[in-house]
Amino acid sequence: PGLLAESLYRGQLDAALVPSIEFLRGVGGYYLDGPALIARPSAGSLLLVSKGPAESLKRVAVCEFCRSPVAVTRIVLAEKFGATPDLCVNKNMRGDWREQYDGVLLTGDRGLDYLAERPDPDVTVINLAELWDELTSLTLVMSLWVYNDKALAGQITKIMVL
């Protein structure tokens, strides 16, 4: 979705599924009130795994394409724990994150797989979607369909919702 946001912004696409944070930053003029990618609090698809408590985080590894999850991480850590660690893009998330970072942001299948593998008891696992729900009582929309030309609203709705 991050790459699609750039193409939509440049006018190369009529509509695209983009990170919700990019829509809030001005990519796309309109959004489709319908299908979206959301993070459910109970699922565990948005996790922060750390060597210690959230308050002590200094450096957290994040994926280069996780724009909305990074924004959520910043908000939750600041509001819930008073923490403002450096969120460092790590293009190669293989290997042990503990060698360079205090924590790692796991999204989607990576987060779900981590939970299924029975997490290491020596780490702290923070469900960011759950904390977002506690802080805001709002659905955490990670990506949504957006478009620029208002005249396309009917066509896009017909294609996407039906």
Side-chain angles (χ1 to χ4, degrees):
L3 297 176
L4 294 175
E6 293 169 19
S7 295
L8 182 71
Y9 183 76
R10 288 191 208 109
Q12 297 169 328
L13 297 172
D14 292 326
L17 181 68
V18 304
S20 56
I21 192 66
E22 293 301 331
F23 178 75
L24 294 173
R25 291 177 177 152
V27 173
Y30 308 94
Y31 68 92
L32 182 65
D33 188 17
L37 178 62
I38 64 169
R40 297 196 186 277
S42 60
S45 60
L46 185 57
L47 301 177
L48 178 61
V49 179
S50 68
K51 292 191 259 187
E55 297 86 355
S56 67
L57 291 171
K58 300 287 184 239
R59 289 172 40 94
V60 174
V62 300
C63 174
E64 66 181 312
F65 300 111
C66 295
R67 295 178 185 179
S68 292
V70 165
V72 169
T73 301
R74 286 188 195 285
I75 292 166
V76 169
L77 289 177
E79 293 295 318
K80 198 80 171 162
F81 303 103
T84 56
D86 290 333
L87 301 182
C88 309
V89 173
N90 184 332
K91 293 183 180 186
N92 182 6
M93 295 293 263
R94 305 200 193 294
D96 192 358
W97 55 268
R98 289 172 262 214
E99 294 172 10
Q100 297 179 17
Y101 305 99
D102 300 315
V104 62
L105 178 62
L106 302 177
T107 62
D109 288 344
R110 291 190 69 217
L112 295 169
D113 289 346
Y114 182 81
L115 289 178
E117 294 169 2
R118 297 199 173 112
D120 180 348
D122 295 333
V123 299
T124 301
V125 178
I126 301 167
N127 182 332
L128 295 168
E130 190 174 88
L131 294 178
W132 176 268
D133 187 58
E134 287 177 20
L135 284 170
T136 68
S137 298
L138 298 171
T139 300
L140 179 49
V141 178
M142 302 305 289
S143 297
L144 67 161
W145 286 93
V146 301
Y147 54 97
N148 289 318
D149 186 352
K150 189 175 182 177
L152 295 175
Q155 293 172 310
I156 293 171
T157 300
K158 184 176 179 182
I159 292 168
M160 295 302 299
V161 178
L162 297 179

